[in-house]
Amino acid sequence: MDSTALIPVQYGLDTFYFVICGALVMWMAAGFAMLEAGLVRAKNTAEILTKNIVLYALASIMYLLVGYYIMYSSPEGGIFPSLGFLIGDEHAVDLVAGGGEDAPYYSARADFFFQIVFAATCMSVVSGAVAERMKLWAFIAFAVVMTGFIYPIQGFWKWGGGFLDAAGFLDFAGSGVVHMAGAAAALAGVLLLGARKGKYGPNGQINAIPGANMPLATLGAFILWMGWFGFNGGSQLKMSTIEDANAVAQVFVNTNMGAAGGLIAALITARLLFGKSDLTMVLNGALAGLVAITAEPLTPSALQATLIGGVGGVLVVFSILGLDKLKLDDPVGAISVHGVAGMWGLLAVPLTNADASFGAQLLGLVSIFLWVFIASLIVWGIIKAVMGLRVSEEEEYEGVDVVECGLEAYPEFTRQ
C-alpha cells in the first residue's frame, strides 16, 4: 500500500486529537472559575466568575490579533520577537498530501486553538491571587497586555524556537512557560496591590479568611485534574503512530500520578503541621503535583512521576505558609501552586531526561521569571497610576460583587 494514502487519515486523526485536547484545556477555565469561586468569600463570587470568563475571551482575541504571530513567527534562536498580526493561512491540501519531512501533520488552526487555551490558562493563574480587592477593569487591562504580549514573548523563547530552545531548555507542556509565568505576573500584582483588610494583624498575626464554598472548590480541582490530561497529553502534538500513541498513554498516566502524589503528600504534610487534614491544602497539593509533572510528563516512570508530584505537594504547603509570613496575600495559593511547584518541575526534568541539563533549566527558569515579573510590575504600576488597582476600603468591606458587577452570587445569604 502506498504510504501517501495514509497521510489524510493520519492528518485527520492528529488534528482531531489536537482539538479535543484543546477543548479539555479550555474546560480548565471552568475549573479555575469554580476553584476560585469556592475559595473566596460569598460577597466576591460573582466578580471572580466575571474575571475568569472575560479573561478567556480576551486571551482568544489578543492571541488572534498579535500573540500567536509573536510566539510563532519570530526568528529562530532570537531574543527579540517579530511584531505582526493575525494567524496566517491554513495548510494547503497539496502540501499535506505530498508528504515528506516538512509536511505538517495537523491543521494550523488546531495549533492556534491549542495555543489560545494555554495563554488563557497562564492568565487564569493571576485572577485568584489578586481576588477580593482588585478593580475588575484594572484586571481586564492587565489581561490584554499579558495575553497579547508578555506571555507570547517568553513563549517564543522556548516553544517558538527562540534562544531558550536553542540553549537546550526543556519544558514539555509549560511548568515554566505557562504556570510559573502566570505566578510571576500574579506576584507582581500582589506586591503592588497589598493584602486584604484584616488578613494580617499586629505582631505577625495571620488571620484565616475562609472561602465560601468548599464543594465548589473541590469540583474546580477535579475539573482542572481532568483538563490537565489535555494540557499534557496534547503537548505530544500527535498520536497517529505507535510511538506517539504509547507516549500519549504514558503522559496521561504520569499526569494522573503526579496529581495523586502531590495530593497525598500535601495531606500528610498538613496533618503533621496542623494536626488537621486541611482540604484547601489537599486541593492545592493535587494542583501542585500537576504543575510539577507538566515540565516533563513523558520520560519519568509512573512511580517517578508520583514522587515528583509528591515533592510539589510538600513544597506548596510550606510555600503558602511562607508567603503568609511575608504578608503576601494570595487567597487561593496560586503563586505557591504555579510558581514554586513550577520551578520545582523545571529543575526536576534532568532527573529523568538525559537530554536536559540543570544549567539550561536554570537559565530558562530565571529568564522567564525575570521577564514576566519585571514586565508585569511595570504594567501593573502604569495601571495603578492611571486608574488605580484597588477598590476602596468601604467597597472591599461591602464586597466587589455589588461594586463591580451590580449583583451578588448568593443574594439570599449575603443580604437579609
Side-chain angles (χ1 to χ4, degrees):
M1 182 178 180
D2 185 357
S3 61
T4 58
L6 294 175
I7 290 175
V9 177
Q10 291 178 312
Y11 184 87
L13 176 61
D14 288 331
T15 296
F16 177 74
Y17 174 69
F18 213 16
V19 295
I20 292 301
C21 284
L24 277 172
V25 181
M26 184 272 168
W27 189 231
M28 290 174 69
F32 278 111
M34 295 301 98
L35 178 74
E36 293 168 17
L39 293 177
V40 301
R41 286 168 289 183
K43 62 184 179 180
N44 300 311
T45 307
E47 194 261 359
I48 199 81
L49 295 173
T50 303
K51 286 198 302 186
N52 274 275
I53 199 164
V54 168
L55 77 84
Y56 180 78
L58 278 176
S60 299
I61 293 170
M62 292 306 300
Y63 210 70
L64 168 68
L65 294 177
V66 292
Y68 187 77
Y69 188 98
I70 289 171
M71 197 158 166
Y72 290 103
S73 302
S74 299
E76 290 189 9
I79 297 176
F80 301 103
S82 301
L83 180 62
F85 300 96
L86 301 179
I87 59 175
D89 299 327
E90 182 56 272
H91 300 313
V93 173
D94 291 344
L95 176 64
V96 176
E101 292 184 1
D102 296 329
Y105 43 84
Y106 51 76
S107 163
R109 292 295 180 268
D111 182 65
F112 169 66
F113 174 64
F114 193 72
Q115 299 305 328
I116 276 179
V117 293
F118 271 53
T121 299
C122 182
M123 188 61 210
S124 293
V125 174
V126 182
S127 62
V130 299
E132 300 202 298
R133 73 270 200 208
M134 177 172 277
K135 292 180 178 180
L136 175 62
W137 282 89
F139 177 84
I140 289 173
F142 180 78
V144 169
V145 182
M146 180 68 181
T147 57
F149 300 95
I150 298 175
Y151 169 79
I153 288 173
Q154 55 89 38
F156 150 63
W157 291 346
K158 168 53 189 170
W159 292 338
F163 82 98
L164 289 181
D165 190 52
F169 171 64
L170 299 182
D171 191 3
F172 188 95
S175 287
V177 173
V178 178
H179 296 281
M180 187 186 69
L187 177 61
V190 167
L191 286 171
L192 291 183
L193 188 61
R196 291 169 291 175
K197 295 298 180 182
K199 175 64 177 177
Y200 303 114
N203 303 317
Q205 181 182 351
I206 301 171
N207 301 313
I209 302 179
N213 195 323
M214 288 300 103
L216 205 60
T218 305
L219 174 63
F222 269 121
I223 292 172
L224 287 168
W225 193 330
M226 176 183 173
W228 230 288
F229 295 124
F231 200 94
N232 288 355
S235 295
Q236 180 64 22
L237 306 181
K238 62 175 184 172
M239 64 171 301
S240 60
T241 67
I242 295 172
E243 181 181 15
D244 286 309
N246 287 341
V248 166
Q250 185 68 50
V251 168
F252 268 59
V253 168
N254 285 349
T255 299
N256 188 65
M257 298 315 300
L263 187 152
I264 297 302
L267 171 68
I268 295 172
T269 304
R271 177 72 179 180
L272 292 174
L273 291 177
F274 316 134
K276 304 292 182 181
S277 304
D278 188 323
L279 175 60
T280 62
M281 292 296 183
V282 169
L283 300 180
N284 279 331
L287 299 180
L290 286 163
V291 171
I293 200 60
T294 292
E296 183 48 88
L298 178 57
T299 57
S301 67
L303 179 58
Q304 288 172 327
T306 307
L307 295 174
I308 290 169
V311 173
V314 173
L315 288 174
V316 78
V317 176
F318 285 101
S319 176
I320 289 171
L321 297 176
L323 289 182
D324 264 342
K325 289 182 179 179
L326 295 173
K327 296 187 176 181
L328 294 174
D329 185 16
D330 178 356
V332 304
I335 297 170
S336 298
V337 168
H338 301 274
V340 174
M343 291 178 181
W344 156 242
L346 292 177
L347 296 177
V349 174
L351 300 179
T352 63
N353 189 332
D355 294 330
S357 71
F358 286 106
Q361 295 305 105
L362 193 60
L363 173 65
L365 187 159
V366 172
S367 299
I368 293 170
F369 181 85
L370 287 180
W371 158 249
V372 177
F373 178 77
I374 294 171
S376 298
L377 198 64
I378 293 170
V379 175
W380 286 124
I382 293 172
I383 294 171
K384 184 176 183 179
V386 172
M387 61 188 297
L389 287 178
R390 186 167 183 147
V391 299
S392 70
E393 187 170 343
E394 181 181 348
E395 291 170 335
E396 184 179 345
Y397 176 79
E398 185 177 4
V400 291
D401 280 5
V402 174
V403 174
E404 298 285 1
C405 302
L407 54 80
E408 296 171 285
Y410 310 106
E412 64 272 32
F413 297 111
T414 53
R415 296 281 179 178
Q416 300 297 326

